[in-house]
Amino acid sequence: MAHLIHITDLQAPELAPFARLSETELLRLREPERGIFIAESPKVIERALDAGCRPLSFLCEEAQAEGEGRRLLERCGRIPAYLATSEVLSALTGFSLTRGMLCAMDRPTPLSVQEALRGAKRVAVLERIMNPTNVGAIFRSAAALSMDAVLLAAGCSDPLYRRAVRVSMGTVFQIPWAVFPSKGPDAWPDGGMELLHRLGFHTVAMALREDSVSIGDPALNAREKLAVVLGSEGDGLAFDTIAACDDTVRIPMSHGVDSLNVAAASAVAFWELGRRREKERKGPAASREGERR
């Protein structure tokens, strides 16, 4: 069981990761070693633990220590768990805790782009998506809708920011992801795009262009490997990125609407373009089910 400590001093230095350090400060907390991140809610914490992330300390509502969170506290051994009422915790952190629990954890060892792509056939590539809510939502859709990996260009929000992790429901720990290097042969866009092509990926840019291919084009789903490239919330993909992709794809709209939020667009794209991957995964089981019928 974790070492339960009732909070008596809101300014205690051991509470700083939960209350006073910014996301950037958490990331750089132990440079040159990896920093830490904050996982929020029992479900998200459990998925991080299942993925091998090492817990450092908890911040927990008193009721959670004897309720849903007790199993997690028992699982993590004698690490400190700081307890208080929900009102005190909200005053400490500045927000209402989702399901009454936070956990500070070591950041996991990052994957290289090549490692994240190993065995992948459907991948999402994010360019300049800076809103952590959108990044988290894209991860959740990617995990649910048959994407095998997520790749991020420099300038995207960190998938391990607290809000991104929470919105993803912890799927950032369930789907491989990597960040393209900012320098070197695999840097995005030129080197990264070349790497995708070299590994056999057909690249499709999600963009508002008159010469776009319909997302429902059967030829797209027939591709063995697809990389779906999504751009920033405001400006979309860079012109050079669109030009380097094999196809530009557009989601048909009605009622005069010109576009969807990038997180919503990603869900539509992953559903439509991930169907081949889903069939491959379900193939043997689906065939046996058909035979039984």
Side-chain angles (χ1 to χ4, degrees), residues 181-194:
S182 57
K183 298 179 181 179
D186 295 338
W188 186 264
D190 296 337
M193 192 72 73
E194 182 180 340

Side-chain angles (χ1 to χ4, degrees), residues 7 17 27 36 42 46 55 67 82 123 140 175 191-192 200 211 220 252-253:
I7 295 173
L27 174 63
I36 69 175
E46 183 173 39
Y82 303 102
V123 302
R140 189 172 182 180
I175 184 169
D211 59 349
L220 287 177
M253 300 284 159

Side-chain angles (χ1 to χ4, degrees), residues 76-148:
C76 294
R78 294 289 293 173
I79 67 171
Y82 303 102
L83 307 182
T85 65
S86 60
E87 293 77 13
V88 170
L89 295 183
S90 294
L92 174 68
T93 62
F95 59 88
S96 179
L97 275 64
T98 303
R99 306 297 291 274
M101 182 173 275
L102 299 176
C103 185
M105 296 181 143
D106 280 329
R107 291 179 70 93
T109 303
L111 295 177
S112 68
V113 172
Q114 292 90 336
E115 288 171 331
L117 288 173
R118 190 169 296 142
K121 293 188 177 181
R122 292 290 186 272
V123 302
V125 181
L126 313 187
E127 179 181 273
R128 297 185 299 181
I129 298 180
M130 296 172 281
N131 186 318
T133 298
N134 282 337
V135 169
I138 291 169
F139 265 85
R140 189 172 182 180
S141 294
L145 300 173
S146 302
M147 294 293 108
D148 298 313

Side-chain angles (χ1 to χ4, degrees), residues 72-282:
L72 292 176
L73 296 177
E74 291 174 343
R75 175 177 177 178
C76 294
R78 294 289 293 173
I79 67 171
Y82 303 102
L83 307 182
T85 65
S86 60
E87 293 77 13
V88 170
L89 295 183
S90 294
L92 174 68
T93 62
F95 59 88
S96 179
L97 275 64
T98 303
R99 306 297 291 274
M101 182 173 275
L102 299 176
C103 185
M105 296 181 143
D106 280 329
R107 291 179 70 93
T109 303
L111 295 177
S112 68
V113 172
Q114 292 90 336
E115 288 171 331
L117 288 173
R118 190 169 296 142
K121 293 188 177 181
R122 292 290 186 272
V123 302
V125 181
L126 313 187
E127 179 181 273
R128 297 185 299 181
I129 298 180
M130 296 172 281
N131 186 318
T133 298
N134 282 337
V135 169
I138 291 169
F139 265 85
R140 189 172 182 180
S141 294
L145 300 173
S146 302
M147 294 293 108
D148 298 313
V150 177
L151 305 177
L152 301 98
C156 285
S157 177
D158 186 345
L160 293 183
Y161 279 1
R162 179 187 64 84
R163 187 165 182 81
V165 173
R166 181 177 67 79
V167 172
S168 82
M169 284 299 295
T171 54
V172 295
F173 309 113
Q174 295 178 305
I175 184 169
W177 61 272
V179 178
F180 282 104
S182 57
K183 298 179 181 179
D186 295 338
W188 186 264
D190 296 337
M193 192 72 73
E194 182 180 340
L195 173 63
L196 289 171
H197 286 144
R198 190 166 67 247
L199 293 176
F201 284 92
H202 186 83
T203 55
V204 295
M206 301 297 299
L208 302 175
R209 292 270 294 262
E210 292 302 323
D211 59 349
S212 298
V213 177
S214 170
I215 196 169
D217 189 332
L220 287 177
N221 228 313
R223 296 281 183 178
E224 181 180 2
K225 291 184 173 184
L226 270 180
V228 184
V229 188
L230 298 144
S232 68
E233 297 87 345
D235 298 328
L237 290 170
F239 177 81
D240 289 345
T241 301
I242 297 173
C245 285
D246 299 306
D247 281 311
T248 305
V249 173
R250 183 172 186 168
I251 299 171
M253 300 284 159
S254 61
H255 297 291
V257 177
D258 62 353
S259 65
L260 296 173
N261 165 273
V262 66
S266 74
V268 175
F270 298 162
W271 166 254
E272 184 63 42
L273 300 177
R275 289 186 297 161
R276 170 174 172 154
R277 188 64 172 135
E278 186 64 14
K279 288 179 180 178
E280 288 176 350
R281 287 173 174 162
K282 293 183 176 179

